[in-house]
């Protein structure tokens, strides 16, 4: 380890061993350096208000990857507990969740999709979030359709990665989308060259959608050249 790594390691150990109260932990998450934010987040055992939830959410995007991942883990932990859901249920938070499901770190995407799945019965969330999710998905599809997926450019991979996680989120919220919207999305993603997108398309279609048009796409993907697509 270099000198900076040693300093960060010692800071983390010292902070982890300190008996910090709730206010001190929240203050560190709000104002600390990367190491302090990360350790304080992992030490957090509860939240007591929407203001504390906002401190976590502020650090879910636009921060160092170590902080974002720690925060996403804790948000998932808290939102999987029904008594904490109310603290995250604010309209201004929903766009933050949308940004987080397409983070460059797949663990963050996975954590936040798991977290927001607890909002399936929240009508305000589903109405706002799914509308924005649909718009983002269509925007990404339109971009990717213009790409040459064989050129291996970072920009291409980045957009495909985002679409992958949008589709994974749609899989979790498929029953909150109207049938014409699903048909519009899946009829386009079924032919995208990257197999991971077709795989997610097939996964969505594995739900009981009761649509002859979508069943036709599902059967079509059952004959896909890629095993991971066919398995659904």
């Amino acid at each position: 380890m270099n000198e900076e790594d040693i300093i960060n390691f010692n800071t983390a150990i010292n902070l982890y061993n300190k008996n910090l109260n709730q206010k001190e932990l929240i203050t560190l998450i709000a104002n600390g350096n990367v190491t302090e934010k990360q350790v304080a987040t992992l030490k957090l055992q509860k939240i007591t208000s929407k203001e504390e939830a906002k401190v976590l959410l502020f650090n879910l995007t636009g921060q160092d990857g170590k902080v974002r991942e720690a925060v996403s883990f804790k948000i998932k932990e808290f939102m999987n507990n029904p008594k904490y859901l109310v603290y995250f249920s604010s309209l201004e938070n929903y766009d933050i969740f949308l940004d987080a499901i397409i983070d460059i770190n797949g663990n963050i995407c996975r954590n936040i999709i798991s977290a927001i799945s607890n909002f399936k019965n929240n009508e305000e969330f589903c109405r706002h979030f799914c509308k924005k999710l649909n718009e983002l998905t269509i925007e990404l599809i339109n971009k990717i359709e213009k790409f040459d997926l064989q050129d291996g450019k970072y920009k291409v991979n980045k957009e495909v990665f985002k679409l992958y996680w949008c589709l994974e989120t749609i899989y979790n919220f498929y029953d909150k989308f109207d049938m014409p919207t699903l048909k519009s999305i899946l009829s386009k993603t079924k032919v995208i060259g990257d197999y991971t997108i077709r795989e997610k398309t097939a996964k969505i279609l594995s739900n009981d959608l009761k649509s002859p048009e979508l069943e036709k796409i599902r059967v079509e993907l059952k004959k896909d050249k890629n095993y991971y697509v066919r398995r659904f």
Side-chain angles (χ1 to χ4, degrees):
M1 291 192 293
N2 60 37
E3 184 177 352
E4 183 179 356
D5 290 336
I6 293 172
I7 292 172
N8 289 336
F9 179 79
N10 289 333
T11 299
I13 293 297
N14 291 334
L15 187 58
Y16 190 82
N17 289 328
K18 279 187 178 180
N19 186 21
L20 300 171
N21 62 35
Q22 182 76 3
K23 183 177 180 180
E24 289 171 326
L25 289 172
I26 294 296
T27 298
L28 281 173
I29 296 169
N31 303 312
N33 60 32
V34 170
T35 301
E36 290 169 339
K37 285 174 180 279
Q38 183 185 23
V39 176
T41 297
L42 294 175
K43 283 176 67 72
L44 197 65
Q45 297 300 309
K46 63 182 179 179
I47 50 173
T48 61
S49 66
K50 285 195 171 186
E51 286 68 33
E52 290 183 356
K54 285 180 181 178
V55 171
L56 284 176
L57 286 161
F58 176 81
N59 285 281
L60 184 57
T61 60
Q63 302 291 322
D64 182 271
K66 294 176 183 177
V67 174
R68 300 197 317 275
E69 185 164 0
V71 167
S72 73
F73 173 79
K74 274 298 174 177
I75 287 176
K76 179 183 74 169
E77 179 182 299
F78 289 136
M79 290 183 66
N80 282 341
N81 187 329
K83 75 177 183 179
Y84 293 125
L85 274 179
V86 64
Y87 297 137
F88 294 92
S89 179
S90 297
L91 190 62
E92 65 266 25
N93 297 337
Y94 301 158
D95 288 345
I96 299 174
F97 288 130
L98 186 67
D99 288 341
I101 65 162
I102 55 170
D103 194 282
I104 194 170
N105 182 330
N107 290 330
I108 296 171
C109 305
R110 194 174 292 106
N111 286 339
I112 296 305
I113 292 170
S114 174
I116 63 175
S117 292
N118 293 288
F119 276 154
K120 285 182 180 179
N121 295 322
N122 182 321
E123 291 185 9
E124 180 190 58
F125 174 83
C126 290
R127 182 172 59 252
H128 179 89
F129 181 84
C130 291
K131 178 178 181 292
K132 292 293 186 71
L133 176 58
N134 174 51
E135 291 170 355
L136 175 59
T137 302
I138 294 299
E139 177 185 335
L140 289 168
I141 290 171
N142 290 339
K143 287 182 180 179
I144 291 168
E145 285 179 332
K146 299 174 184 176
F147 289 154
D148 176 2
L149 293 181
Q150 303 304 315
D151 66 12
K153 289 183 179 178
Y154 170 73
K155 182 179 179 182
V156 175
N157 294 334
K158 184 178 178 182
E159 301 306 307
V160 169
F161 187 80
K162 290 178 181 178
L163 179 57
Y164 174 95
W165 288 108
C166 282
L167 293 175
E168 178 66 17
T169 310
I170 291 173
Y171 169 77
N172 284 271
F173 286 88
Y174 77 95
D175 55 341
K176 308 303 179 183
F177 287 79
D178 60 58
M179 197 59 69
T181 297
L182 281 177
K183 289 176 184 176
S184 175
I185 291 172
L186 300 179
S187 64
K188 294 177 180 179
T189 57
K190 72 168 185 171
V191 294
I192 286 178
D194 189 288
Y195 84 87
T196 64
I197 301 303
R198 303 196 307 280
E199 177 189 3
K200 288 301 177 188
T201 302
K203 185 176 181 180
I204 294 169
L205 291 166
S206 69
N207 290 303
D208 186 16
L209 297 176
K210 300 186 184 305
S211 163
E213 294 94 332
L214 292 181
E215 175 63 16
K216 184 178 179 181
I217 296 174
R218 190 187 73 81
V219 171
E220 182 181 334
L221 291 177
K222 277 288 187 182
K223 302 174 184 177
D224 194 273
K225 61 184 179 181
N226 188 281
Y227 162 77
Y228 293 101
V229 180
R230 295 196 307 270
R231 66 186 173 137
F232 291 105

